Amino acid sequence: MVERARWSVVTGKTLRAAALVGAVTLGCDAPEAERSPELFDVPWDNDDDDAEPIGLAIDLKNGTSAPLRLHAGARFFLEQVDISTVVTSAVDEGVKGLDHSGDFAHALWLGTKFVEQETAQLPDAAGKYTRSRFYTGALWMTLPSVVLLGQLDEDGHPIALPIAMSIGSDGQRNPSDHFFVRRLRAIQRTLGCPTPTDCTGATGFEEEAVVELRNALKQTPSFALHPATAALELRWTANPLQRWVIPVEQETDPEYAYGFQIDVDVLTPPGPDGWFLPGQELTFRVTLRDGEGNRLHPEGSLPSYNDVIFGDNEAGFQYYQGFFDPTWVFWRRKHRERTFIAHFMGPAQNVRPIHSIVPLDQILSEDVQQVASLDQDGLFDVWKVFPTTDGVFGGAFDPQHLGWAEPGSDTFSVQLPANAPPGTYRLTTKARRVYHGEDIAFTRTIEVQVGTAAPTSKTLETGNCQTCHSEGGSLAAVLHRNPNRGTCYGCHAPLGVEYDAPIHSRVHFIHSRSNRFDAQVKQCDTCHLTAASIQRTSKSACLSCHTSYPQSHVAAFGPVSSIYVGGQAESFTQCTGSCHSTHPSSGL
C-alpha cells in the first residue's frame, strides 16, 4: 500500500515535470522580454544545407561536462550520450543511495532488481579486488522516454528550437527509436574485497547510475550551431527534474577538420612475383588523419601515453583508457576503452576463434606480441598496441609509470613464420578520435599476399548480422566501425588480463543480456549457419550465454565463477567431444 501511494505521488510529479521539460526547453520559462528573438526565426538553420552533420558526443559525469569546443557554423546530430552519476556509501545498500542523492534522485527507481555480478580479474595496488553488481528494471530504465537538446546564449536563454530524440523502451526496438544502442542501468562497486569471491569486511561502496545511448540510426534530427550559442542544455523525460548544461566554446579557425581515417602502408617491397615469402620480415607504417586527410602526428613518431592522456592532445586520437574509466562488456562503457591497436593475421582461409591465452607477463614485457601460432591455433596472429604495448600496460604496473613517458613509432615489423601457409594475410588497425565534440572510431584493413598471388578467403560460419545491424546500427557504424567480421578473431583472443575478450564470448553475452534482441537466444541458427559451428563445447562458449549449468557439471568442471566465460583459464579448453553435439531448439 505504501509503494502504491508513493507511485501515485511520484507519477504525478513526473507527469508535471515532463510537461515542464517541454516548456522550459522551448524557452517558455523566460519572460517575453528576455526570450531570444531568433527562437522562431532561425535563418542560419538551413535544413537544405549540403554540409554533412557531425555526430555529437556528450559525456556528463556527476552533473557536469568539460566545455565542448565546437566548430562555428557546423551542423550536428546527437550521436552519443553518456551520463554517469556516483554516490558513495559505507554500508552495503545495493544502489538505494541513488534514489535520494545525485542526478537521478528524482527518477523513478521502482522495479529496480539485481541481475548479476562480476569481480575484476586483477587486484588493485593493495592486493584487493573490486566486485561489481549490476541492476536493471527501474522505471526510468524501462519506460519509453525522449531526450531533448537545446542551445543557450551566454545569459542562459534558449536560442533555437531543441531537437528531440526517442530512446524507446527496454523491451523492444521500434522504427521510431533514434538510437541503436540503449543501455540504462545501475552498478554497485564493492571496494577492498580480500579475495575474488569474498568481500567480507569491505566498507567502501560506490553506487552509479549509467546511461549509454549511441549510434544514432539516422543523422536526423540535426541542428546548426547558432553564432551566439554558449551552452547546450540536455533534458530527459525519464528524469525530468534534472537539467544538464554543457558549456560551448566555438572555434572559428580550427587546426584540424572533423572526421577520422587511417592509412596503412607496407614499407617492405614484395618479391619479383608480387608476393611475400614465408620467413620474411614485413614492416608497416600507420598514419592517422582527419577527415580532410591532414596528418594528426609527425611522420615517424607518435606521442607518448602521457602526452595523449594527460597532455593537450589537440589532434584528438586516443590511447587505451581502461585504467581510469573501468569497463565491463555490455554493462559499463566498453566503447570508451579506446584502444589503438593493429594486428596481423592469416592465412585468411584458416581464420577461426583463438583459444590460446595471451599471458600477462607477455603483455607487460613485449611490444609486438604473438597471439596465435600455426601449431596451436591453426593460424598466425600478432598484434601491437600503440604507442607501445609494454609501455601502455607495463606502465600501469610500474609505480613510477615510466612506460607511459616513452614516445612511440608509427612503424612496426612482423616476422612471418618459416612455415607460413600461402594465402591472403590481413593487417587490421583500429583507433578512436575524440575531437571537438565528435567521438568516432575507424578501422582499416589491408591485405598482403604470402607465397601466392591468388587471394584466399573463408566462408564464415556465422552471419545474418544485417537483420538487426542496419543504418546507424550497421557493423560499419558501431563499435570499431569494422564490417569485416573475419578480422575480429585477431584482437579478440583470451587475454591474461581479460578472459572475456574472445569474440564468441562477447557476442553471446551481449545478445543474451539485451532485451532488444528480437530472436530467441537458444535458436542458434539466428546467427550460426552450420551445425559444426556450435559443436566446440567449452565453458566460455556455453556460460557466456547460460548463467548456470547442472550440479553434475559443477562437480566435473567447477562452479560458475564468471558471468562472461564461466570460470578462469580453463574456460577455453574443450570440455568434451562426445556431449552437446546438438543444442535444443537451435535449428541446426
Side-chain angles (χ1 to χ4, degrees), residues 348-426:
Q349 68 270 22
N350 288 2
V351 296
R352 67 193 70 180
I354 297 169
H355 303 292
S356 299
I357 298 174
V358 184
L360 175 60
D361 59 351
Q362 176 180 309
I363 295 172
L364 300 181
S365 61
E366 299 178 16
D367 185 17
V368 179
Q369 307 195 1
Q370 183 162 334
V371 176
S373 67
L374 292 166
D375 292 340
Q376 293 185 333
D377 301 286
L379 74 162
F380 173 71
D381 183 50
V382 298
W383 72 13
K384 172 185 167 53
V385 173
F386 296 91
T388 66
T389 309
D390 49 344
V392 170
F393 295 102
F397 287 80
D398 171 14
Q400 295 181 323
H401 305 299
L402 297 179
W404 290 357
E406 298 176 4
S409 172
D410 61 3
T411 67
F412 66 99
S413 299
V414 173
Q415 185 76 44
L416 288 168
N419 61 338
T424 300
Y425 289 65
R426 297 183 177 121

Coordinates of all heavy atoms in Angstrom, one line a residue, residues 348-426:
A348 N 43.9 -16.2 -44.5 CA 42.5 -15.9 -44.4 C 41.7 -17.2 -44.5 O 40.6 -17.2 -43.8 CB 42.1 -14.9 -45.5
Q349 N 42.1 -18.2 -45.2 CA 41.3 -19.4 -45.3 C 41.3 -20.2 -44.0 O 40.5 -21.1 -43.8 CB 41.8 -20.3 -46.4 CG 43.2 -20.9 -46.2 CD 44.3 -20.1 -46.7 OE1 44.1 -18.9 -46.9 NE2 45.4 -20.7 -47.0
N350 N 42.1 -19.8 -43.0 CA 42.2 -20.5 -41.7 C 41.6 -19.8 -40.5 O 41.8 -20.2 -39.4 CB 43.7 -20.9 -41.4 CG 44.3 -21.9 -42.3 OD1 43.6 -22.4 -43.2 ND2 45.5 -22.3 -42.1
V351 N 41.1 -18.6 -40.8 CA 40.6 -17.8 -39.6 C 39.6 -18.5 -38.8 O 38.7 -19.2 -39.4 CB 40.0 -16.4 -40.1 CG1 41.1 -15.6 -40.7 CG2 38.8 -16.6 -41.0
R352 N 39.7 -18.4 -37.5 CA 38.8 -19.1 -36.6 C 39.1 -18.5 -35.2 O 40.0 -17.8 -35.0 CB 39.2 -20.6 -36.5 CG 40.6 -20.9 -36.0 CD 41.1 -22.3 -36.2 NE 41.4 -22.5 -37.7 CZ 41.8 -23.6 -38.2 NH1 42.0 -24.7 -37.4 NH2 42.1 -23.7 -39.5
P353 N 38.2 -18.8 -34.2 CA 38.4 -18.3 -32.9 C 39.8 -18.8 -32.3 O 40.2 -20.0 -32.6 CB 37.3 -18.9 -32.1 CG 36.2 -19.2 -33.1 CD 36.9 -19.5 -34.4
I354 N 40.4 -18.0 -31.6 CA 41.7 -18.3 -30.9 C 41.4 -18.7 -29.5 O 40.7 -18.0 -28.7 CB 42.6 -17.1 -30.9 CG1 43.0 -16.7 -32.4 CG2 43.9 -17.4 -30.2 CD1 43.7 -15.4 -32.6
H355 N 42.0 -19.9 -29.1 CA 41.7 -20.4 -27.7 C 43.0 -20.3 -26.8 O 42.9 -20.5 -25.6 CB 41.2 -21.8 -27.8 CG 40.0 -22.0 -28.7 ND1 38.8 -21.5 -28.3 CD2 39.8 -22.5 -29.9 CE1 37.8 -21.7 -29.2 NE2 38.4 -22.4 -30.2
S356 N 44.1 -20.0 -27.4 CA 45.3 -19.9 -26.6 C 45.3 -18.6 -25.8 O 44.9 -17.5 -26.4 CB 46.6 -19.9 -27.5 OG 46.7 -21.1 -28.2
I357 N 45.7 -18.6 -24.6 CA 45.6 -17.4 -23.7 C 46.9 -16.6 -23.9 O 48.0 -17.2 -23.7 CB 45.3 -17.8 -22.3 CG1 44.0 -18.5 -22.1 CG2 45.4 -16.6 -21.4 CD1 43.7 -19.0 -20.8
V358 N 46.8 -15.3 -24.1 CA 48.0 -14.4 -24.1 C 48.4 -14.2 -22.7 O 47.6 -13.5 -21.9 CB 47.7 -13.1 -24.9 CG1 48.9 -12.3 -25.0 CG2 47.1 -13.4 -26.3
P359 N 49.5 -14.6 -22.2 CA 49.9 -14.5 -20.8 C 50.2 -13.1 -20.4 O 50.6 -12.2 -21.2 CB 51.1 -15.4 -20.7 CG 51.7 -15.4 -22.1 CD 50.6 -15.3 -23.0
L360 N 49.9 -12.8 -19.1 CA 50.1 -11.4 -18.6 C 51.5 -10.9 -18.7 O 51.7 -9.8 -19.1 CB 49.6 -11.4 -17.1 CG 49.9 -10.1 -16.4 CD1 49.1 -9.0 -17.0 CD2 49.5 -10.2 -14.9
D361 N 52.5 -11.8 -18.4 CA 53.9 -11.3 -18.5 C 54.3 -10.9 -19.9 O 55.1 -10.0 -20.1 CB 54.8 -12.4 -17.9 CG 54.7 -13.7 -18.7 OD1 53.8 -13.9 -19.5 OD2 55.6 -14.6 -18.4
Q362 N 53.7 -11.6 -20.9 CA 54.0 -11.2 -22.3 C 53.4 -9.8 -22.6 O 54.0 -9.0 -23.2 CB 53.4 -12.2 -23.3 CG 53.6 -11.8 -24.7 CD 53.0 -12.9 -25.7 OE1 53.3 -14.1 -25.5 NE2 52.1 -12.4 -26.6
I363 N 52.2 -9.6 -22.1 CA 51.5 -8.3 -22.4 C 52.3 -7.1 -21.7 O 52.4 -6.0 -22.2 CB 50.1 -8.3 -21.8 CG1 49.3 -9.3 -22.6 CG2 49.4 -6.9 -21.9 CD1 47.9 -9.6 -22.1
L364 N 53.0 -7.4 -20.6 CA 53.7 -6.4 -19.8 C 55.1 -6.2 -20.3 O 55.7 -5.2 -19.9 CB 53.7 -6.8 -18.3 CG 52.4 -6.9 -17.6 CD1 52.6 -7.2 -16.1 CD2 51.6 -5.6 -17.8
S365 N 55.6 -7.1 -21.2 CA 57.0 -7.0 -21.5 C 57.4 -7.0 -22.9 O 58.6 -6.7 -23.3 CB 57.8 -8.3 -20.9 OG 57.2 -9.5 -21.4
E366 N 56.4 -7.2 -23.9 CA 56.7 -7.2 -25.3 C 55.9 -6.2 -26.0 O 54.8 -5.9 -25.7 CB 56.5 -8.6 -25.9 CG 57.4 -9.7 -25.2 CD 57.1 -11.0 -25.8 OE1 56.5 -11.1 -26.9 OE2 57.5 -12.0 -25.2
D367 N 56.5 -5.6 -27.1 CA 55.7 -4.6 -27.9 C 54.9 -5.3 -29.0 O 53.7 -5.3 -28.9 CB 56.7 -3.6 -28.5 CG 56.0 -2.5 -29.3 OD1 54.8 -2.3 -29.0 OD2 56.6 -1.8 -30.1
V368 N 55.5 -6.0 -29.9 CA 54.8 -6.7 -30.9 C 54.7 -8.2 -30.4 O 55.7 -8.8 -30.1 CB 55.5 -6.7 -32.3 CG1 54.8 -7.6 -33.3 CG2 55.7 -5.3 -32.8
Q369 N 53.5 -8.6 -30.2 CA 53.2 -9.9 -29.4 C 52.6 -10.9 -30.3 O 51.7 -10.6 -31.1 CB 52.3 -9.6 -28.3 CG 52.8 -8.5 -27.4 CD 52.1 -8.4 -26.0 OE1 51.3 -9.2 -25.7 NE2 52.5 -7.5 -25.2
Q370 N 53.1 -12.2 -30.2 CA 52.4 -13.3 -30.8 C 51.2 -13.7 -30.1 O 51.3 -14.0 -28.9 CB 53.4 -14.4 -31.0 CG 52.7 -15.6 -31.8 CD 53.8 -16.5 -32.4 OE1 54.9 -16.2 -32.6 NE2 53.3 -17.8 -32.6
V371 N 50.1 -13.7 -30.7 CA 48.8 -14.1 -30.1 C 48.3 -15.5 -30.4 O 47.8 -16.2 -29.6 CB 47.7 -13.0 -30.5 CG1 46.4 -13.4 -29.9 CG2 48.1 -11.6 -30.1
A372 N 48.6 -15.9 -31.7 CA 48.2 -17.2 -32.1 C 49.3 -17.8 -32.9 O 50.0 -17.1 -33.7 CB 46.9 -17.2 -32.9
S373 N 49.5 -19.1 -32.9 CA 50.5 -19.8 -33.6 C 49.9 -20.9 -34.5 O 48.8 -21.4 -34.2 CB 51.6 -20.5 -32.7 OG 51.0 -21.5 -32.0
L374 N 50.6 -21.2 -35.6 CA 50.1 -22.2 -36.5 C 49.9 -23.5 -35.9 O 49.0 -24.3 -36.1 CB 51.0 -22.3 -37.8 CG 51.0 -21.1 -38.7 CD1 52.2 -21.1 -39.6 CD2 49.7 -21.0 -39.5
D375 N 50.9 -23.9 -35.0 CA 50.9 -25.2 -34.3 C 49.7 -25.3 -33.4 O 49.0 -26.4 -33.4 CB 52.2 -25.4 -33.6 CG 53.4 -25.5 -34.5 OD1 53.2 -25.8 -35.7 OD2 54.5 -25.3 -34.0
Q376 N 49.4 -24.3 -32.6 CA 48.4 -24.4 -31.6 C 47.0 -24.0 -32.1 O 46.0 -24.5 -31.6 CB 48.8 -23.6 -30.3 CG 50.0 -24.1 -29.6 CD 50.3 -23.3 -28.3 OE1 49.9 -22.2 -28.2 NE2 50.9 -24.0 -27.4
D377 N 47.0 -23.0 -32.9 CA 45.7 -22.4 -33.3 C 45.3 -22.5 -34.8 O 44.2 -22.1 -35.2 CB 45.7 -20.9 -32.9 CG 45.9 -20.7 -31.4 OD1 45.0 -20.9 -30.6 OD2 47.1 -20.3 -31.1
G378 N 46.2 -23.0 -35.6 CA 45.9 -23.2 -37.0 C 46.1 -21.9 -37.8 O 45.8 -21.9 -39.0
L379 N 46.4 -20.8 -37.2 CA 46.7 -19.6 -37.9 C 47.7 -18.8 -37.2 O 48.0 -19.0 -36.0 CB 45.4 -18.8 -38.1 CG 44.8 -18.0 -36.9 CD1 43.9 -16.9 -37.4 CD2 44.1 -18.9 -36.0
F380 N 48.3 -17.8 -37.9 CA 49.3 -16.9 -37.3 C 48.7 -15.6 -37.0 O 48.0 -15.0 -37.8 CB 50.5 -16.8 -38.3 CG 51.5 -15.8 -37.9 CD1 52.4 -16.1 -36.9 CD2 51.7 -14.6 -38.6 CE1 53.4 -15.2 -36.5 CE2 52.7 -13.7 -38.3 CZ 53.5 -14.0 -37.2
D381 N 49.0 -15.0 -35.8 CA 48.4 -13.7 -35.4 C 49.4 -13.0 -34.5 O 49.8 -13.6 -33.5 CB 47.1 -13.9 -34.8 CG 46.4 -12.6 -34.4 OD1 46.4 -11.7 -35.3 OD2 46.0 -12.4 -33.3
V382 N 49.7 -11.8 -34.8 CA 50.5 -10.9 -33.8 C 49.8 -9.6 -33.7 O 49.0 -9.2 -34.6 CB 51.9 -10.7 -34.3 CG1 52.7 -12.0 -34.4 CG2 52.0 -10.0 -35.7
W383 N 50.0 -8.9 -32.6 CA 49.4 -7.6 -32.5 C 50.4 -6.6 -31.9 O 51.4 -7.0 -31.3 CB 48.1 -7.6 -31.7 CG 48.2 -7.9 -30.2 CD1 49.3 -7.9 -29.5 CD2 47.1 -8.2 -29.4 NE1 49.0 -8.1 -28.2 CE2 47.6 -8.3 -28.1 CE3 45.7 -8.3 -29.6 CZ2 46.8 -8.6 -27.0 CZ3 45.0 -8.6 -28.5 CH2 45.5 -8.8 -27.2
K384 N 50.0 -5.3 -32.0 CA 50.8 -4.2 -31.4 C 49.8 -3.2 -30.9 O 49.0 -2.7 -31.7 CB 51.8 -3.6 -32.4 CG 52.4 -2.4 -31.8 CD 53.3 -1.7 -32.8 CE 53.7 -0.3 -32.4 NZ 54.3 -0.2 -31.0
V385 N 50.0 -2.8 -29.7 CA 49.2 -1.6 -29.1 C 50.1 -0.4 -29.2 O 51.3 -0.5 -28.9 CB 48.8 -1.9 -27.6 CG1 48.1 -0.7 -27.0 CG2 47.8 -3.1 -27.6
F386 N 49.5 0.7 -29.5 CA 50.2 2.0 -29.6 C 50.0 2.8 -28.4 O 49.0 2.8 -27.8 CB 49.8 2.8 -30.9 CG 50.0 2.1 -32.2 CD1 49.1 1.2 -32.7 CD2 51.2 2.2 -32.8 CE1 49.3 0.5 -33.9 CE2 51.5 1.6 -34.0 CZ 50.6 0.7 -34.6
P387 N 51.1 3.6 -28.0 CA 52.3 3.8 -28.6 C 53.3 2.6 -28.5 O 54.0 2.3 -29.5 CB 52.9 5.0 -28.0 CG 52.3 5.0 -26.6 CD 50.9 4.5 -26.8
T388 N 53.3 1.9 -27.4 CA 54.0 0.6 -27.3 C 53.1 -0.3 -26.4 O 52.6 0.2 -25.3 CB 55.4 0.7 -26.7 OG1 55.3 1.2 -25.3 CG2 56.3 1.7 -27.5
T389 N 53.0 -1.5 -26.7 CA 52.2 -2.4 -25.9 C 52.7 -2.5 -24.4 O 52.0 -2.4 -23.5 CB 52.1 -3.8 -26.5 OG1 51.8 -3.7 -27.9 CG2 51.1 -4.7 -25.8
D390 N 54.0 -2.8 -24.3 CA 54.6 -3.0 -23.0 C 54.6 -1.7 -22.2 O 54.4 -1.6 -21.0 CB 56.0 -3.6 -23.0 CG 56.9 -2.9 -24.0 OD1 56.4 -2.1 -24.9 OD2 58.1 -3.1 -24.0
G391 N 54.7 -0.5 -22.9 CA 54.7 0.8 -22.3 C 53.4 1.1 -21.7 O 53.2 1.6 -20.6
V392 N 52.3 0.8 -22.5 CA 50.9 1.1 -22.0 C 50.6 0.3 -20.8 O 50.2 0.8 -19.8 CB 49.9 0.9 -23.1 CG1 48.5 1.0 -22.6 CG2 50.1 2.0 -24.2
F393 N 50.7 -1.0 -20.9 CA 50.3 -1.9 -19.9 C 51.3 -2.1 -18.8 O 51.0 -2.2 -17.6 CB 49.8 -3.2 -20.5 CG 48.6 -3.1 -21.4 CD1 48.8 -3.1 -22.7 CD2 47.4 -3.0 -20.8 CE1 47.7 -3.0 -23.6 CE2 46.3 -2.8 -21.6 CZ 46.4 -2.8 -23.0
G394 N 52.6 -2.1 -19.2 CA 53.6 -2.2 -18.1 C 53.7 -1.0 -17.3 O 53.9 -1.0 -16.1
G395 N 53.4 0.2 -17.9 CA 53.4 1.4 -17.1 C 52.4 1.4 -16.0 O 52.6 2.1 -15.0
A396 N 51.3 0.7 -16.2 CA 50.2 0.7 -15.2 C 50.6 -0.1 -14.0 O 50.1 0.1 -12.9 CB 48.9 0.1 -15.8
F397 N 51.6 -1.0 -14.1 CA 52.1 -1.8 -13.0 C 53.4 -1.3 -12.4 O 53.9 -1.8 -11.5 CB 52.3 -3.3 -13.5 CG 51.0 -4.0 -13.7 CD1 50.3 -3.9 -14.9 CD2 50.5 -4.9 -12.8 CE1 49.1 -4.6 -15.1 CE2 49.3 -5.6 -13.0 CZ 48.6 -5.4 -14.2
D398 N 53.9 -0.2 -13.0 CA 55.1 0.4 -12.5 C 54.7 1.6 -11.7 O 54.1 2.6 -12.2 CB 56.0 0.9 -13.7 CG 57.1 1.7 -13.3 OD1 57.5 1.8 -12.1 OD2 57.7 2.4 -14.2
P399 N 55.1 1.7 -10.4 CA 54.7 2.8 -9.5 C 55.1 4.2 -10.1 O 54.4 5.2 -9.8 CB 55.4 2.5 -8.2 CG 55.6 1.0 -8.2 CD 55.9 0.7 -9.6
Q400 N 56.2 4.2 -10.9 CA 56.6 5.5 -11.4 C 56.1 5.7 -12.9 O 56.3 6.7 -13.5 CB 58.1 5.6 -11.4 CG 58.7 5.6 -10.0 CD 60.2 5.7 -10.1 OE1 60.9 5.1 -10.9 NE2 60.8 6.4 -9.1
H401 N 55.4 4.7 -13.4 CA 54.8 4.8 -14.7 C 55.8 5.2 -15.8 O 55.4 6.0 -16.7 CB 53.6 5.7 -14.7 CG 52.6 5.4 -13.7 ND1 51.9 4.2 -13.6 CD2 52.1 6.1 -12.6 CE1 51.0 4.2 -12.6 NE2 51.2 5.3 -11.9
L402 N 56.9 4.6 -15.8 CA 58.0 5.0 -16.7 C 57.6 4.7 -18.2 O 57.9 5.4 -19.1 CB 59.3 4.3 -16.4 CG 59.9 4.7 -15.0 CD1 61.2 3.9 -14.8 CD2 60.1 6.2 -14.9
G403 N 56.9 3.6 -18.4 CA 56.5 3.2 -19.7 C 55.5 4.2 -20.4 O 55.5 4.3 -21.6
W404 N 54.8 5.0 -19.6 CA 53.9 5.9 -20.1 C 54.6 7.2 -20.7 O 54.0 8.0 -21.4 CB 52.9 6.4 -19.0 CG 51.9 5.3 -18.7 CD1 51.8 4.1 -19.2 CD2 50.9 5.4 -17.7 NE1 50.8 3.4 -18.6 CE2 50.2 4.1 -17.7 CE3 50.5 6.4 -16.8 CZ2 49.2 3.9 -16.8 CZ3 49.4 6.1 -15.9 CH2 48.8 4.8 -15.9
A405 N 55.9 7.4 -20.3 CA 56.6 8.5 -20.8 C 57.3 8.2 -22.2 O 57.9 9.1 -22.8 CB 57.7 8.9 -19.8
E406 N 57.3 7.0 -22.6 CA 58.0 6.6 -23.8 C 57.2 7.0 -25.1 O 56.1 6.6 -25.2 CB 58.2 5.1 -23.9 CG 59.1 4.5 -22.7 CD 59.2 3.0 -22.8 OE1 58.6 2.4 -23.8 OE2 59.8 2.4 -21.9
P407 N 57.8 7.7 -26.0 CA 57.2 8.0 -27.3 C 57.1 6.8 -28.1 O 57.8 5.8 -27.9 CB 58.1 9.1 -27.9 CG 59.4 8.8 -27.3 CD 59.2 8.3 -25.9
G408 N 56.2 6.8 -29.1 CA 56.0 5.6 -29.9 C 56.5 5.9 -31.4 O 56.7 7.0 -31.7
S409 N 56.5 4.8 -32.1 CA 56.8 4.9 -33.6 C 55.5 4.6 -34.4 O 54.7 3.9 -33.9 CB 57.9 3.9 -33.9 OG 58.1 3.9 -35.3
D410 N 55.4 5.2 -35.6 CA 54.3 4.8 -36.4 C 54.6 3.6 -37.3 O 53.8 3.3 -38.2 CB 53.8 6.0 -37.2 CG 54.9 6.5 -38.2 OD1 56.0 5.9 -38.2 OD2 54.7 7.5 -38.9
T411 N 55.7 3.0 -37.1 CA 56.1 1.8 -37.8 C 56.3 0.6 -36.9 O 56.7 0.8 -35.7 CB 57.3 2.0 -38.7 OG1 58.5 2.1 -37.8 CG2 57.2 3.1 -39.6
F412 N 56.1 -0.6 -37.4 CA 56.4 -1.8 -36.6 C 56.6 -2.9 -37.6 O 56.2 -2.9 -38.8 CB 55.3 -2.2 -35.6 CG 54.0 -2.5 -36.3 CD1 53.6 -3.9 -36.4 CD2 53.1 -1.6 -36.7 CE1 52.4 -4.2 -37.0 CE2 51.9 -1.9 -37.2 CZ 51.5 -3.3 -37.4
S413 N 57.3 -4.0 -37.2 CA 57.7 -5.1 -38.0 C 57.1 -6.4 -37.5 O 56.9 -6.6 -36.3 CB 59.2 -5.2 -38.1 OG 59.7 -4.0 -38.7
V414 N 56.8 -7.3 -38.5 CA 56.2 -8.6 -38.2 C 57.1 -9.6 -38.9 O 57.4 -9.5 -40.1 CB 54.8 -8.7 -38.7 CG1 54.3 -10.2 -38.5 CG2 53.9 -7.8 -37.9
Q415 N 57.5 -10.7 -38.2 CA 58.3 -11.8 -38.8 C 57.4 -12.9 -39.2 O 56.7 -13.5 -38.3 CB 59.3 -12.3 -37.8 CG 60.3 -13.3 -38.3 CD 61.4 -12.8 -39.2 OE1 61.9 -11.7 -38.9 NE2 61.6 -13.4 -40.3
L416 N 57.2 -13.1 -40.4 CA 56.4 -14.2 -40.9 C 57.0 -15.6 -40.5 O 58.3 -15.7 -40.5 CB 56.3 -14.2 -42.4 CG 55.4 -13.1 -43.0 CD1 55.6 -13.1 -44.5 CD2 53.9 -13.4 -42.7
P417 N 56.2 -16.5 -40.1 CA 56.8 -17.9 -39.7 C 57.4 -18.5 -41.0 O 56.9 -18.3 -42.1 CB 55.6 -18.6 -39.1 CG 54.4 -17.9 -39.6 CD 54.8 -16.5 -39.8
A418 N 58.4 -19.3 -40.7 CA 59.0 -20.0 -41.8 C 58.1 -21.0 -42.6 O 58.3 -21.2 -43.8 CB 60.3 -20.8 -41.4
N419 N 57.1 -21.5 -41.9 CA 56.1 -22.4 -42.5 C 54.8 -21.7 -42.7 O 53.8 -22.4 -42.8 CB 55.9 -23.6 -41.5 CG 55.4 -23.2 -40.2 OD1 55.5 -22.1 -39.7 ND2 54.8 -24.2 -39.5
A420 N 54.8 -20.4 -42.9 CA 53.6 -19.7 -43.2 C 52.9 -20.3 -44.4 O 53.4 -20.3 -45.5 CB 53.8 -18.2 -43.4
P421 N 51.6 -20.7 -44.3 CA 50.9 -21.3 -45.5 C 50.6 -20.2 -46.5 O 50.5 -19.0 -46.1 CB 49.6 -21.8 -44.9 CG 49.8 -21.9 -43.4 CD 50.8 -20.9 -43.1
P422 N 50.6 -20.5 -47.8 CA 50.3 -19.5 -48.8 C 48.9 -19.0 -48.7 O 48.0 -19.8 -48.3 CB 50.6 -20.2 -50.1 CG 50.5 -21.6 -49.8 CD 50.9 -21.8 -48.4
G423 N 48.7 -17.7 -49.0 CA 47.4 -17.2 -48.9 C 47.4 -15.7 -48.6 O 48.4 -15.0 -48.7
T424 N 46.2 -15.2 -48.4 CA 46.0 -13.8 -48.0 C 46.1 -13.6 -46.5 O 45.4 -14.2 -45.7 CB 44.6 -13.3 -48.5 OG1 44.5 -13.5 -49.9 CG2 44.3 -11.9 -48.2
Y425 N 46.9 -12.6 -46.2 CA 47.1 -12.2 -44.8 C 46.6 -10.8 -44.6 O 46.7 -10.0 -45.5 CB 48.5 -12.3 -44.3 CG 49.0 -13.7 -44.2 CD1 49.1 -14.6 -45.3 CD2 49.4 -14.2 -42.9 CE1 49.6 -15.9 -45.2 CE2 49.9 -15.6 -42.8 CZ 50.0 -16.4 -43.9 OH 50.4 -17.7 -43.8
R426 N 46.0 -10.5 -43.5 CA 45.4 -9.2 -43.3 C 46.0 -8.4 -42.1 O 46.2 -9.0 -41.0 CB 43.9 -9.3 -43.0 CG 43.1 -9.9 -44.2 CD 41.6 -10.0 -43.9 NE 40.8 -10.5 -45.0 CZ 40.1 -11.5 -45.0 NH1 40.0 -12.2 -43.8 NH2 39.4 -11.9 -46.0

